[in-house]
Amino acid sequence: AQSVTQLDSQVPVFEEAPVELRCNYSSSVSVYLFWYVQYPNQGLQLLLKYLSGSTLVKGINGFEAEFNKSQTSFHLRKPSVHISDTAEYFCAVRASYDKVIFGPGTSLSVIP
Amino acid sequence: GAVVSQHPSRVICKSGTSVKIECRSLDFQATTMFWYRQFPKQSLMLMATSNEGSKATYEQGVEKDKFLINHASLTLSTLTVTSAHPEDSSFYICSASDSHYEQYFGPGTRLTVT
């Protein structure tokens, strides 16, 4: 079985500052990794995904994430955040043909 | 890109009644569909997995007689909440998959039971 840990439940950051949202996972098999964003009262939006190949993945809205197999991590980063990035962020894993397992989420608050 | 729709987007029903939520894959055939529930300020929790033409597989702790799932075709799955109670009020999200790695999520349905 797979599990996902997001170490920070809340992350406040000033506008235009960099941010890193941490994600660690455990799995006995190879998994695919995802980051989703959820704005208040809305559904999920896929930010980026790691399937294979280059460990640095670039996504939408200036976000990127790096897959580190040895540390079983998939941290999300953005060099300069905007007010509009305020949202809930979910890290997720999926084994082949299996269900998606979500982490508990990190609430990112961008302070003007 | 692949699109998944849900209907209705919001529904309010009285306690004791049943409500049906539809999940459709609009431009692809979904071999597997998943139903998630999300309570306020919490993450998504998987309720069940359904394959077309087969009985759904429910996660531990989910009442299969209360949350009826039907996956009658490769583009449609339905979730029926039977005898709904206020504690069933939640955000229900479906997803559909046509491959071993990709899942596409619907926009969600907000259920309020009064």
Side-chain angles (χ1 to χ4, degrees):
Chain A
Q2 296 81 44
S3 66
V4 182
T5 303
Q6 291 181 246
L7 297 172
D8 306 300
S9 60
Q10 297 184 34
V11 173
V13 61
F14 285 103
E15 192 174 15
E16 297 184 5
V19 69
E20 179 180 80
L21 306 183
R22 296 179 292 171
C23 172
N24 288 87
Y25 69 94
S26 67
S27 177
S28 57
V29 299
S30 295
V31 293
Y32 307 110
L33 298 157
F34 306 85
W35 274 99
Y36 291 90
V37 60
Q38 186 177 37
Y39 299 102
N41 297 311
Q42 293 190 29
L44 296 178
Q45 182 178 10
L46 179 66
L47 278 177
L48 47 80
K49 59 188 175 187
Y50 173 78
L51 304 179
S52 65
S54 173
T55 58
L56 183 61
V57 180
K58 293 189 182 298
I60 62 171
N61 301 342
F63 284 95
E64 64 179 31
E66 186 155 19
F67 169 58
N68 187 318
K69 188 174 182 179
S70 63
Q71 297 187 6
T72 60
S73 68
F74 190 53
H75 300 334
L76 180 71
R77 293 191 288 261
K78 186 170 182 177
S80 176
V81 295
H82 300 130
I83 295 291
S84 59
D85 293 322
T86 295
E88 193 78 18
Y89 291 79
F90 295 99
C91 181
V93 301
R94 186 188 188 195
S96 186
Y97 289 110
D98 205 348
K99 56 202 174 192
V100 174
I101 302 298
F102 287 88
T106 296
S107 179
L108 175 64
S109 298
V110 180
I111 306 164
Chain B
V3 179
V4 176
S5 69
Q6 280 185 243
H7 178 79
S9 57
R10 290 178 176 270
V11 58
I12 301 173
C13 69
K14 292 186 181 298
S15 186
T17 62
S18 296
V19 61
K20 180 185 287 187
I21 302 169
E22 290 187 350
C23 175
R24 293 182 184 272
S25 56
L26 299 184
D27 49 4
F28 67 101
Q29 293 188 324
T31 51
T32 307
M33 287 186 167
F34 304 85
W35 286 94
Y36 295 82
R37 179 170 54 186
Q38 185 181 32
F39 291 110
K41 305 292 186 184
Q42 294 188 27
S43 186
L44 283 76
M45 298 300 296
L46 181 68
M47 298 174 67
T49 302
S50 71
N51 293 294
E52 185 260 342
S54 303
K55 286 186 177 180
T57 301
Y58 291 82
E59 296 297 301
Q60 192 171 7
V62 177
E63 300 175 61
K64 62 181 181 182
D65 294 331
K66 180 170 186 61
F67 299 99
L68 301 179
I69 292 172
N70 183 280
H71 192 164
S73 76
L74 285 172
T75 60
L76 173 64
S77 177
T78 60
L79 167 67
T80 301
V81 184
T82 62
S83 186
H85 292 285
E87 57 265 31
D88 299 323
S89 297
S90 188
F91 193 49
Y92 292 87
I93 302 175
C94 74
S95 70
S97 178
D98 63 350
S99 73
H100 59 96
Y101 60 87
E102 196 70 80
Q103 276 194 23
Y104 306 98
F105 286 85
T109 296
R110 176 83 54 196
L111 170 63
T112 303
V113 184
T114 61

